[in-house]
């Protein structure tokens, strides 16, 4: 998914920076090697080993990770291996650290095809059992590991994701230029993420339709932007848009490339995230860092990230979401307050801090060898 590849890229860059700075302290000489297939990725300070194999294919990647990678690690005499996305190379002889992002495939079974769900569960469970330490991206994921896999607490460390520096408020004239360039509506509420069922978009559409009917004339021109890759669920969403008479008022820009994200957030009247379940609601923090007021569900993994810097609602409560939209859109003072709180909240999530805490986990594992 986009979120986990973002995690991998940002963490590797931050680790590279850390190693470069840390090389000044000789008692912890850290040498970090990353295995990857992305041709254009760079992380100064990291040793990058690229493969030409087509590992975008999940099955090919799993096969490579479980057979070829352990051999590489043995040749390299690696002291430690870190699986960045839910899975470790199980045959590797060195101790492992694995980052578990969420257990959606266990918690919300209907979301994935049965075969995919079965092997994700199997590999993640085996990796969690084999790992010397597990990094969970939220307390929610840590609890899920204990409940679903029986993982002992002392093997789990919660390390929050960071938010990249490019997510920052923009000047009004830059946002005007962005609207002209991208075709974004003049005023809009933004949802950003995969268009899939657990994101609870049907509830958002119904609440938006109700808010539009009740709101003032000058707010009638506010559109709803649903930004994200169009999955199998897109047709169903589109049918709902038509059934609610919202065809003119809902805008689908499709997948938004990484470099355009900060502007989409910054130009929004508010960011709305109604998700039923997340391991870590990264878009919430990105929106806050970009200066957008946030309305989000109190779903686990979303509320944890939002803290007291958002207007929240129970994830199944359509009335509460319609009321939250009304509250935020009718009170400019509240929007400014949410903006202020959001920027302060986002400032506490950094990739540098994520990298530092990750290295602490490595050193703990190595100290126990």
């Amino acid at each position: 998914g986009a979120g986990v590849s973002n995690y991998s890229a940002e963490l590797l860059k931050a680790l590279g920076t850390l190693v470069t700075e840390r090389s000044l302290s000789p008692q912890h000489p850290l040498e970090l090697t990353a295995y990857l297939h992305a041709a254009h990725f760079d992380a100064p300070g990291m040793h990058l080993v690229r493969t030409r194999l087509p590992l975008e294919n999940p099955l090919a990647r799993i096969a490579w990770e479980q057979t070829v990678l352990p051999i590489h690690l043995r040749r390299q005499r690696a002291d430690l291996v870190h699986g960045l996305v839910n899975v470790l190379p199980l045959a590797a002889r060195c101790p492992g650290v694995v980052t578990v992002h969420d257990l959606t495939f266990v918690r919300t079974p209907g979301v994935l095809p049965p075969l995919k769900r079965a092997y994700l569960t199997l590999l993640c469970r085996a990796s969690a059992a084999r790992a010397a330490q597990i990094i969970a991206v939220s307390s929610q994921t840590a609890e899920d590991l204990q409940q679903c896999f029986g993982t002992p607490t002392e093997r789990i460390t919660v390390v929050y994701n960071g938010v990249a520096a490019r997510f920052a408020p923009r000047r009004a004239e830059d946002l005007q230029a962005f609207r002209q360039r991208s075709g974004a509506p003049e005023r809009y509420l933004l949802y950003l993420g995969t268009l899939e069922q657990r994101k609870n978009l049907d509830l958002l559409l119904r609440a938006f339709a109700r808010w539009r009917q009740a709101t003032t004339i000058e707010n009638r021109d506010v559109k709803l932007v649903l930004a994200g890759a169009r999955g199998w669920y897109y047709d169903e969403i589109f049918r709902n848009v038509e059934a609610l008479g919202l065809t003119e008022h809902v805008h689908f820009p499709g997948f938004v490339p990484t470099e355009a994200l900060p502007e989409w957030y910054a130009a929004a009247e508010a960011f709305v995230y109604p998700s039923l379940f997340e391991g870590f609601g990264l878009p919430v923090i990105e929106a806050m860092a970009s200066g957008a007021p946030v309305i989000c569900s109190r779903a686990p993994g979303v509320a944890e990230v939002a803290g007291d810097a958002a207007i929240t609602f129970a994830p199944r409560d359509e009335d509460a979401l319609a009321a939250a939209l009304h509250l935020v859109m009718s009170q400019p003072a509240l929007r400014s307050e949410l903006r202020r709180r959001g920027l302060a909240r986002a400032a506490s999530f950094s990739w540098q801090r994520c990298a530092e805490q990750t290295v602490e986990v490595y050193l703990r594992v190595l100290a126990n060898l």
Side-chain angles (χ1 to χ4, degrees):
V4 290
S5 49
N6 181 37
Y7 166 82
S8 306
E10 296 289 354
L11 177 62
L12 291 179
K13 285 181 198 162
L15 284 171
T17 307
L18 207 61
V19 170
T20 316
E21 290 165 0
R22 227 195 162 112
S23 57
L24 306 172
S25 69
Q27 69 270 33
H28 292 308
L30 271 180
E31 279 179 41
L32 298 180
T33 301
Y35 290 88
L36 65 156
H37 61 275
H40 302 298
F41 177 77
D42 199 22
M46 298 282 291
H47 179 53
L48 301 181
V49 178
R50 298 180 201 273
T51 167
R52 292 196 233 357
L53 297 171
L55 298 185
E56 298 80 33
N57 176 324
L59 285 171
R61 187 175 67 248
I62 288 167
W64 180 88
E65 214 165 44
Q66 298 303 332
T67 56
V68 181
L69 184 56
I71 298 166
H72 269 281
L73 293 168
R74 208 167 307 157
R75 278 196 205 134
Q76 292 273 344
R77 298 208 172 95
D79 297 310
L80 177 84
V81 60
H82 181 180
L84 296 179
V85 185
N86 300 349
V87 173
L88 277 172
L90 298 170
R93 289 181 185 172
C94 57
V97 170
V98 65
T99 298
V100 177
H101 294 270
D102 62 62
L103 294 185
T104 317
F105 41 89
V106 183
R107 290 277 311 254
T108 50
V111 168
L112 292 167
L115 185 67
K116 189 172 183 187
R117 180 177 168 243
Y119 78 63
L120 281 174
T121 306
L122 191 74
L123 279 170
C124 187
R125 186 189 291 272
S127 299
R130 152 105 176 60
Q133 275 289 315
I134 298 168
I135 290 174
V137 299
S138 62
S139 305
Q140 167 57 41
T141 297
E143 274 168 40
D144 281 349
L145 280 162
Q146 289 161 45
Q147 281 170 9
C148 304
F149 292 168
T151 311
T153 328
E154 62 275 9
R155 284 191 21 238
I156 305 172
T157 306
V158 174
V159 177
Y160 285 131
N161 288 338
V163 62
R166 65 177 180 276
F167 294 98
R170 296 288 198 268
R171 294 179 320 192
E173 55 268 34
D174 294 340
L175 292 177
Q176 205 42 52
F178 156 73
R179 285 189 195 91
Q180 284 160 354
R181 197 173 62 241
S182 63
E186 190 57 37
R187 298 178 68 209
Y188 60 90
L189 296 163
L190 176 68
Y191 160 83
L192 191 136
T194 323
L195 305 183
E196 62 181 359
Q197 239 151 355
R198 73 184 166 111
K199 302 299 191 176
N200 206 15
L201 298 178
D202 298 341
L203 182 99
L204 173 55
L205 287 169
R206 292 197 303 274
F208 175 71
R210 281 178 49 182
W211 169 76
R212 271 201 88 250
Q213 280 167 347
T215 193
T216 56
I217 296 289
E218 59 266 31
N219 272 342
R220 291 278 162 82
D221 67 339
V222 174
K223 304 273 193 274
L224 173 63
V225 171
L226 300 181
R230 298 178 177 191
W232 53 273
Y233 175 49
Y234 169 74
D235 297 335
E236 199 179 313
I237 296 170
F238 198 75
R239 277 197 297 278
N240 284 349
V241 168
E242 285 182 330
L244 290 162
L246 292 174
T247 315
E248 299 294 304
H249 311 288
V250 179
H251 182 69
F252 290 96
F255 177 76
V256 173
T258 318
E259 54 280 6
L261 281 178
E263 292 173 315
W264 277 100
Y265 285 127
E269 302 276 318
F271 178 70
V272 192
Y273 204 62
S275 193
L276 294 171
F277 179 80
E278 294 292 326
F280 183 98
L282 188 59
V284 165
I285 286 294
E286 291 176 344
M288 286 177 176
S290 308
V294 172
I295 299 169
C296 64
S297 74
R298 283 196 286 278
V302 181
E304 185 180 340
V305 169
D308 66 349
I311 298 289
T312 62
F313 61 93
R316 305 269 182 197
D317 191 339
E318 188 187 317
D319 295 349
L321 176 50
L325 289 172
H326 173 72
L327 195 66
V328 171
M329 293 305 291
S330 63
Q331 298 191 22
L334 174 64
R335 285 209 294 282
S336 320
E337 174 61 14
L338 286 172
R339 208 169 274 129
R340 191 185 64 72
R341 282 191 195 188
L343 287 166
R345 177 80 182 155
S348 64
F349 292 83
S350 81
W351 286 113
Q352 186 196 342
R353 195 165 129 188
C354 176
E356 284 166 0
Q357 292 173 340
T358 300
V359 168
E360 279 165 25
V361 173
Y362 296 167
L363 296 174
R364 260 209 319 281
V365 170
L366 294 171
N368 289 331
L369 288 181

